[in-house]
Amino acid sequence: MYRFVLRRLFSGVLLLFVITTVAYLLLYAGGGDIARRIVGPTASDAQVALKASQLGLDRPLLVQYWDWLTSALTGDLGRSWFNGQLVTAGVTGRVSVTLSLVLGATIIAAVISVVLGVLAAVRRGTVDRVAQLVGVLGHAIPGFLIALGLVSLFALNLKWFKATGYVPITTSFGGWAATVTLPIIALSIGCIAAIVQQVRGSLIDALRQDYVRTLRARGLSFNRVVYKHVLRNAGGPALAVLAVQFIGLLGGAVIVEQIFALPGLGQITVTATGQGDIPVVMGVVVATAAIVVTVNLIIDLAQGWLNPKVRLS
């Protein structure tokens, strides 16, 4: 198990290095005349050259990358080209908002999907048809349309929740819950649709295996066979889908944060990309890549715990 964990840790660090390196080279090499865009089109060549020198853009690209990488390893991702704010501080303050949405949506989706998927596979009939209907509707309706519908019904008409704004959980738990509930619901519906189908399909396949009939022949109750053996064997594929959905939720959070005016990574990404503030964009890339690598590592370890064969692959 230790070798399995070390291999996954090494793979995660290598993946993070590759993602950030490729992103840096693409952003800086393809940025064109960055200094002129910052000082404005009416600036003289001398002013452009001075700004490029101040930002270190007149040095070779690999030298710039090496300086950025060595600073990043110490937690320094540079400063914004437009407001001078430390990128690390700006991005860190936004990560908690986005993570609260994505983690909340993932947990809700996982719980509802497992319960509905197990009931659909075991009882079939009406519950199964409801699970399949949820899957179809969740895939068919775009997430932003669900978000707009939730705002219209629960925020504007019923006034149960706030339509926009964000209250940190350290300020008021009730205020925080009122501002993140609708975004979490909007994000989780599509995720539920994908996971419930995977759980249902994996359980139905597992229930047809010979070992289930053997366990039943030994006198084990149906519920014990399902919850102790079948669910564990079917959990691997469901976890893989959950990891993919989590990564997809990070992208979906960009749109949802814009609709609900939440100060998360999505909002800062849109602003920094529009301005051409590349250090901030790189900070978002590093934060997002670190989250994705960490989640994949956790899912890999969970799969290795559920199925020992995974550790040997």
Side-chain angles (χ1 to χ4, degrees), residues 83 85 87-101 166 257-258 261-272 280 284 287 291:
N83 57 27
Q85 184 184 23
V87 173
T88 303
V91 172
T92 303
R94 309 264 182 161
V95 167
S96 59
V97 179
T98 300
L99 274 183
S100 64
L101 299 182
Y166 179 76
E257 287 174 6
Q258 293 298 309
L262 299 173
L265 287 178
Q267 191 180 69
I268 195 175
T269 302
V270 172
T271 303
V280 176
V284 174
I291 293 171

Side-chain angles (χ1 to χ4, degrees), residues 27 38-39 63 134 155 194-195 210-211 223 233 251 255 285-286:
L27 285 172
I38 295 174
V39 297
V63 175
V134 169
I195 301 175
D210 292 337
Y211 75 88
N223 287 337
N233 290 333
I255 299 174
V285 170
V286 171

Side-chain angles (χ1 to χ4, degrees), residues 12 15 50 59 68 72 79 105 117 133 149 160 177 188 205 209 227 239 244 249 269-270 276 278 286 288 293 302 306:
L15 180 61
L50 177 61
R59 297 174 300 158
W68 177 86
R79 289 181 179 272
L133 181 63
W160 290 356
S188 63
D205 288 341
Q209 300 298 315
Y227 293 107
L239 282 175
V244 173
L249 288 177
T269 302
V270 172
I278 295 179
V286 171
T288 306
V293 168
L306 287 172

Side-chain angles (χ1 to χ4, degrees), residues 18-83:
V18 171
I19 291 174
T20 53
T21 300
V22 171
Y24 187 96
L25 296 178
L26 288 176
L27 285 172
Y28 280 83
D33 195 348
I34 299 172
R36 179 166 290 284
R37 280 190 291 160
I38 295 174
V39 297
T42 59
S44 64
D45 291 342
Q47 290 173 314
V48 174
L50 177 61
K51 175 56 71 174
S53 177
Q54 291 173 344
L55 298 177
L57 297 174
D58 54 345
R59 297 174 300 158
L61 182 60
L62 291 180
V63 175
Q64 295 179 50
Y65 171 69
W66 177 253
D67 289 345
W68 177 86
L69 180 63
T70 52
S71 298
L73 291 175
T74 64
D76 180 9
L77 296 174
R79 289 181 179 272
S80 166
W81 285 346
F82 288 85
N83 57 27

Side-chain angles (χ1 to χ4, degrees), residues 109-110 113-114 190-200 238 241-242 245:
S113 299
V114 169
C191 192
I192 291 172
I195 301 175
V196 72
Q197 295 297 327
Q198 181 63 53
V199 173
R200 172 186 173 276
V241 174
L242 184 64
Q245 290 300 315

